[in-house]
């Protein structure tokens, strides 16, 4: 029986055997800039290490408050709290610096007054589309959540000089090779995950084995996007009300309003269960909605999604 998750899963074999694609971080950054010329990419070990790197670059300290979105994951809170103080709730929107999560690939806020970091960790863009949806100076991607790699985060900068300074900071942390090995082995020896998790924020430049996997996966961008569009169009009509239909980036899931019958149908295949989604209203207020996040990424069998489509169509 298949087990499906919100994001694609990496495998040990896929992570290791990419010798024909060995390349440098610089080459990957150059290729990404050609794909998305509105930003300057910095290849990092992960999304969380990207957040930590920004905090260092901005010289933030414990006395600085950083606004955090509702239901933020422990990795985001951990990365922020290494140097600064996370701020939650209503007051988070008044912070000078905020992390804005465009949840699962759906743009949450645009044209905000305060500075921000666009957390687009699971957004799959069409090539050439404009980055920085909230008007921020920085945007973060997680390649495991987008491409299904075993490591890699992209820290996008609006300013080229910022990107160059951030690369210097990244390289001062040394290599992330040992951290990567810990993560791979932790898939078999779960207790090692805690060691990887504790040190990941400080990981430095990626090894050639890591960049080879990322380079191989980037070559499949168009294939992954085509697959995503097919699945997106199959289930979009069942998405929660009031959600703006994406046109230039595509999510990893379709959020469907909680339905007990649907939940019972898929629970054996989809152990992630229900989630809370933040919906931004027209007056810029927000509310939380309980949804079933149906994954539509490249690791999901199309026939499983067709079964869900038939079920939802039948029950109206």
């Amino acid at each position: 029986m298949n087990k499906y998750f919100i994001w694609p899963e990496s495998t040990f074999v896929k992570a290791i055997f990419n010798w024909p694609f060995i390349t440098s971080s610089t080459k990957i950054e150059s290729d990404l800039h050609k794909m998305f010329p509105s930003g300057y990419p910095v290849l990092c070990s992960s999304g969380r290490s990207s957040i930590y790197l920004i905090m260092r670059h901005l010289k933030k300290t414990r006395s600085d408050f950083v606004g955090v979105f509702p239901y933020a994951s422990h990795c985001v809170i951990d990365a922020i709290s290494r140097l600064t103080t996370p701020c939650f709730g209503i007051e988070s929107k008044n912070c000078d610096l905020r992390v804005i999560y465009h949840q699962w690939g759906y743009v949450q806020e645009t044209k905000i007054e305060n500075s921000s970091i666009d957390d687009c960790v699971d957004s799959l863009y069409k090539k050439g589309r404009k980055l920085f949806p909230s008007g921020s100076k920085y945007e973060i991607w997680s390649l495991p959540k987008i491409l299904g790699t075993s490591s890699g985060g992209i820290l996008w900068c609006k300013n080229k000089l910022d990107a160059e300074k951030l690369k210097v900071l990244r390289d001062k942390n040394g290599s992330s090779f040992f951290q990567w090995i810990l993560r791979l082995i932790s898939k078999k020896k779960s207790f090692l995950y805690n060691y990887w998790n504790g040190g990941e924020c400080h990981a430095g430049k990626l090894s050639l084995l890591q960049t080879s996997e990322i380079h191989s996966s980037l070559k499949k961008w168009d294939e992954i996007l085509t697959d995503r569009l097919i699945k997106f169009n199959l289930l979009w009509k069942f998405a929660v009300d009031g959600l703006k239909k994406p046109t230039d980036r595509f999510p990893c899931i379709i959020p469907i309003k909680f339905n007990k019958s649907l939940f019972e149908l898929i629970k054996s295949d989809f152990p992630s269960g229900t989630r809370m989604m933040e919906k931004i209203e027209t007056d810029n207020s927000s509310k939380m909605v309980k949804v079933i996040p149906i994954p539509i990424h490249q690791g999901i069998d199309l026939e499983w999604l067709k079964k869900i489509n038939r079920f939802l169509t039948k029950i109206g």
Side-chain angles (χ1 to χ4, degrees):
M1 182 182 293
N2 290 322
K3 294 290 184 182
Y4 298 124
F5 300 91
I6 291 177
W7 299 289
E9 289 199 289
S10 63
T11 65
F12 185 85
V13 171
K14 180 184 174 185
I16 295 294
F17 296 103
N18 288 283
W19 296 105
F21 299 98
I22 282 183
T23 189
S24 65
S25 294
T26 301
K27 176 64 166 61
I28 289 174
E29 288 163 348
S30 175
D31 289 346
L32 282 165
H33 180 60
K34 290 175 184 176
M35 291 167 65
F36 303 98
S38 63
Y40 298 92
V42 180
L43 181 61
C44 299
S45 178
S46 61
R48 74 180 75 185
S49 67
S50 302
I51 295 175
Y52 178 73
L53 207 58
I54 293 173
M55 299 300 148
R56 287 181 59 198
H57 172 64
L58 296 176
K59 296 181 170 60
K60 295 297 181 181
T61 64
R62 184 64 63 202
S63 61
D64 294 306
F65 290 92
V66 177
V68 180
F69 50 91
Y71 292 88
S73 65
H74 71 86
C75 60
V76 172
I77 296 170
D78 177 60
I80 291 170
S81 61
R82 295 278 167 141
L83 292 173
T84 67
T85 301
C87 180
F88 303 91
I90 298 296
E91 289 302 315
S92 67
K93 295 185 182 293
N94 298 321
C95 291
D96 291 333
L97 179 65
R98 296 174 58 198
V99 178
I100 299 173
Y101 179 30
H102 301 287
Q103 193 173 4
W104 300 317
Y106 296 96
V107 173
Q108 296 291 61
E109 295 184 64
T110 59
K111 300 178 181 178
I112 63 170
E113 295 180 1
N114 296 328
S115 60
S116 68
I117 299 167
D118 281 311
D119 185 342
C120 301
V121 288
D122 37 20
S123 296
L124 178 66
Y125 280 82
K126 287 184 177 179
K127 286 181 181 177
R129 295 305 196 239
K130 190 176 180 181
L131 305 172
F132 316 106
S134 77
S136 67
K137 292 175 65 177
Y138 307 103
E139 177 170 332
I140 292 170
W141 292 0
S142 170
L143 296 182
K145 288 182 170 67
I146 297 171
L147 298 176
T149 55
S150 59
S151 68
I154 309 299
L155 198 176
W156 287 98
C157 302
K158 191 172 285 186
N159 184 287
K160 185 177 181 180
L161 182 59
D162 279 341
E164 296 306 318
K165 289 180 178 179
L166 282 156
K167 289 175 189 177
V168 172
L169 275 179
R170 174 200 63 192
D171 294 350
K172 284 182 178 178
N173 285 345
S175 172
S176 66
F177 178 73
F178 181 69
Q179 277 294 112
W180 178 61
I181 292 298
L182 272 180
R183 186 173 192 183
L184 288 181
I185 299 175
S186 72
K187 292 182 180 296
K188 296 294 184 180
K189 303 292 183 180
S190 58
F191 75 93
L192 289 175
Y193 176 83
N194 294 325
Y195 293 94
W196 170 82
N197 187 50
E200 177 58 23
C201 285
H202 303 274
K205 192 172 182 177
L206 278 71
S207 68
L208 287 177
L209 283 174
Q210 291 169 273
T211 55
S212 65
E213 182 194 12
I214 291 168
H215 184 52
S216 170
S217 297
L218 281 174
K219 288 182 173 294
K220 300 174 183 175
W221 193 278
D222 292 334
E223 176 187 334
I224 291 171
L225 182 62
T226 299
D227 175 79
R228 186 73 54 90
L229 284 169
I230 291 170
K231 294 169 179 174
F232 174 83
N233 289 327
L234 180 68
L235 291 181
W236 170 252
K237 62 185 176 182
F238 303 112
V240 291
D241 293 337
L243 197 60
K244 186 177 179 180
K245 186 176 183 179
T247 57
D248 58 355
R249 63 173 71 205
F250 290 90
C252 58
I253 67 102
I254 299 290
I256 296 175
K257 189 175 181 179
F258 179 76
N259 177 294
K260 187 175 181 180
S261 298
L262 174 62
F263 182 76
E264 292 296 323
L265 175 73
I266 67 171
K267 68 179 183 180
S268 60
D269 300 321
F270 185 60
S272 298
T274 60
R275 290 289 190 276
M276 299 303 292
M277 183 175 191
E278 184 181 24
K279 286 186 64 180
I280 306 299
E281 305 293 352
T282 53
D283 62 357
N284 214 33
S285 63
S286 63
K287 68 177 182 179
M288 305 306 297
V289 180
K290 186 178 182 180
V291 300
I292 301 175
I294 301 297
I296 57 170
H297 55 73
Q298 62 272 25
I300 303 301
D301 183 5
L302 182 60
E303 291 305 313
W304 185 69
L305 296 177
K306 287 180 177 178
K307 180 177 77 171
I308 293 173
N309 176 284
R310 290 192 295 269
F311 178 80
L312 290 173
T313 300
K314 182 178 179 180
I315 67 174

